[in-house]
Amino acid sequence: SQSNDNQDDSSNNDIPSKSDNSTQIAQLELQVQQKQNQITETQNSITSWNQKISNYTVTLNGHKASLANAQTALENAKNEKTLRVYVSGVGWVYQADPRAIANAESNVQFYQNLVNSYENMILDANNEITKLNNNITTLNGEISLLQKQISSLK
């Protein structure tokens, strides 16, 4: 008769009661906390990327100003007739200095390359922020599902 009592007890243990779910609830709550920590870390990364974008933008604006100055210097070099050259049948004439033009073109290219680089760095940073925001959205969805599981166990 004792074995029947033991069997009855074990069959009752097969049906979990709400109060027996405390371990599972604790595990789920731990998962929620871990995901919330991941969100915080991701938000910190976004803040860091935004600071980089801000710094890149300041530098970019400086390079854009330098590019504009270099373009003006190139136009001036093309328009300034400072080199005296003898042209057969015409005589002495003043022409733009090809070396000054080449140097000015080189400066324009240099600053254009810097502007392009910083614009690409800003694009890359914005793409990284988009990925991080997508990660936060995914984590929030996972937290929502975990919280529903927790609610169903309480």
Side-chain angles (χ1 to χ4, degrees):
S1 99
Q2 283 182 343
S3 61
N4 283 346
D5 288 342
N6 287 341
Q7 283 180 345
D8 288 344
D9 286 345
S10 65
S11 66
N12 286 340
N13 288 338
D14 290 341
I15 303 167
S17 68
K18 295 270 184 186
S19 62
D20 293 336
N21 292 332
S22 59
T23 302
Q24 190 176 0
I25 290 171
Q27 289 172 340
L28 293 170
E29 286 174 342
L30 178 62
Q31 289 178 37
V32 168
Q33 185 59 51
Q34 289 169 338
K35 291 184 185 302
Q36 287 170 334
N37 290 344
Q38 287 177 304
I39 288 172
T40 300
E41 290 170 15
T42 304
Q43 288 168 331
N44 290 340
S45 292
I46 289 171
T47 299
S48 174
W49 279 108
N50 278 323
Q51 185 59 52
K52 287 179 184 180
I53 289 172
S54 178
N55 293 340
Y56 294 162
T57 301
V58 168
T59 304
L60 173 62
N61 289 336
H63 292 320
K64 282 182 175 180
S66 296
L67 174 59
N69 290 337
Q71 288 169 329
T72 300
L74 174 59
E75 288 307 310
N76 290 342
K78 288 178 178 178
N79 293 328
E80 290 177 1
K81 311 293 185 198
T82 57
L83 190 62
R84 189 171 176 223
V85 178
Y86 183 80
V87 177
S88 179
V90 177
W92 290 99
V93 294
Y94 285 93
Q95 294 180 346
D97 183 352
R99 286 178 298 186
I101 292 172
N103 286 339
E105 286 173 338
S106 177
N107 284 339
V108 167
Q109 190 59 53
F110 174 78
Y111 287 111
Q112 186 63 60
N113 288 341
L114 285 174
V115 165
N116 292 345
S117 292
Y118 276 85
E119 286 175 341
N120 286 333
M121 290 164 60
I122 290 169
L123 281 174
D124 290 345
N126 278 318
N127 288 338
E128 190 61 32
I129 288 171
T130 298
K131 289 179 193 173
L132 293 169
N133 278 321
N134 289 341
N135 289 347
I136 289 174
T137 300
T138 299
L139 288 166
N140 278 326
E142 292 170 359
I143 287 171
S144 179
L145 291 174
L146 289 168
Q147 288 171 333
K148 285 178 184 174
Q149 286 180 299
I150 290 168
S151 293
S152 72
L153 293 171
K154 287 186 174 177

